[in-house]
């Protein structure tokens, strides 16, 4: 068991490090978040380029959004007034973008099997609007953190070690 002094020092270190993380949580729509990606307001850093989702995961995400289920939150860091670097959620956001852009044709959906073969544009205007207006949450770190800190956050969120990304 740790002595009281070690416990207090660990607690102080946690507190000092935690208070450096200034963030806000934003509620956005799928369409708005995707548009931010398309406009370059949200960008994907090079260190995330190696991760690619399977078709099965992409289909599950789209099916979940069609069903109105919540999407896991995105994590980003504010680089400047007009740019956010996406720390977590690249595959989700790029999947949503590809679907809205008609680049994905649905297949092997289990709960919505009648939607197999559809692209976004094949849905009714009502269903398209529902999809685009689904809510997303973005945890936005408000300070421009050093690249090393951003890499550490990315690896921590994704359960990776440094050797896996380098």
């Amino acid at each position: 068991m740790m002595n009281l002094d070690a416990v207090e020092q660990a607690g102080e270190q946690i507190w000092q490090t935690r208070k450096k993380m200034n963030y806000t949580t934003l509620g956005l729509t799928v369409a708005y978040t995707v548009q931010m990606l398309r406009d370059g307001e949200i960008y994907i850093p090079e260190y995330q380029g190696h991760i690619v989702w399977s078709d099965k995961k992409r289909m599950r995400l789209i099916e979940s959004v069609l069903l109105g289920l919540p999407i896991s939150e995105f994590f980003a860091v504010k680089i400047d007034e007009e740019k956010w670097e996406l720390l977590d959620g690249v595959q989700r956001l790029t999947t949503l973008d590809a679907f809205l852009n008609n680049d994905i044709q649905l297949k092997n959906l289990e709960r919505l099997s009648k939607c197999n073969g559809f692209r976004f544009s094949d849905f009714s205007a009502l269903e398209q609007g529902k999809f685009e207006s689904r809510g997303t949450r973005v945890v936005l770190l408000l300070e421009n953190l050093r690249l090393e800190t951003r890499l550490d956050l990315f690896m921590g969120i994704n359960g990776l070690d440094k050797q896996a990304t380098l």
Side-chain angles (χ1 to χ4, degrees):
M1 207 160 162
M2 292 294 193
N3 67 41
L4 186 57
D5 188 46
V7 171
E8 287 177 3
Q9 288 177 10
E12 179 64 23
Q13 184 181 38
I14 290 169
W15 171 252
Q16 291 299 325
T17 304
R18 183 184 304 148
K19 73 179 188 178
K20 292 177 186 174
M21 297 292 174
N22 186 14
Y23 69 92
T24 190
T25 303
L26 304 168
L28 307 173
T29 65
V30 165
Y32 188 80
T33 308
V34 166
Q35 193 60 51
M36 288 181 73
L37 176 68
R38 291 176 179 176
D39 292 345
E41 294 172 39
I42 295 177
Y43 73 92
I44 300 167
E46 288 183 28
Y47 59 83
Q48 292 197 43
H50 66 283
I51 299 172
V52 177
W53 263 12
S54 66
D55 278 348
K56 184 176 182 176
K57 281 188 171 184
R58 294 172 77 175
M59 297 304 134
R60 278 190 150 168
L61 173 69
I62 295 166
E63 186 175 44
S64 294
V65 176
L66 286 167
L67 289 168
L69 299 174
I71 302 170
S72 299
E73 56 196 8
F74 297 99
F75 282 85
V77 62
K78 187 175 184 177
I79 299 301
D80 60 37
E81 289 304 313
E82 298 176 13
K83 288 212 184 279
W84 300 352
E85 180 177 298
L86 194 58
L87 295 176
D88 184 55
V90 168
Q91 296 306 311
R92 284 175 278 135
L93 189 52
T94 56
T95 296
L96 295 170
D97 179 35
F99 183 63
L100 291 177
N101 201 41
N102 290 309
D103 294 334
I104 293 177
Q105 184 173 20
L106 300 177
K107 61 183 177 183
N108 301 318
L109 299 185
E110 296 172 7
R111 294 175 286 183
L112 297 176
S113 59
K114 294 189 186 302
C115 297
N116 287 324
F118 277 57
R119 294 183 187 277
F120 180 73
S121 62
D122 296 322
F123 287 97
S124 69
L126 177 65
E127 290 304 328
Q128 289 177 22
K130 286 180 182 179
F131 190 95
E132 291 175 323
S133 66
R134 294 282 185 240
T136 64
R137 288 181 320 280
V138 178
V139 175
L140 181 63
L141 300 168
L142 298 174
E143 281 101 24
N144 183 356
L145 305 172
R146 293 184 0 244
L147 176 60
E148 181 179 340
T149 304
R150 296 192 315 262
L151 280 169
D152 286 344
L153 285 167
F154 168 72
M155 290 182 298
I157 290 166
N158 291 286
L160 302 172
D161 62 31
K162 262 189 186 170
Q163 307 317 341
T165 61
L166 302 177

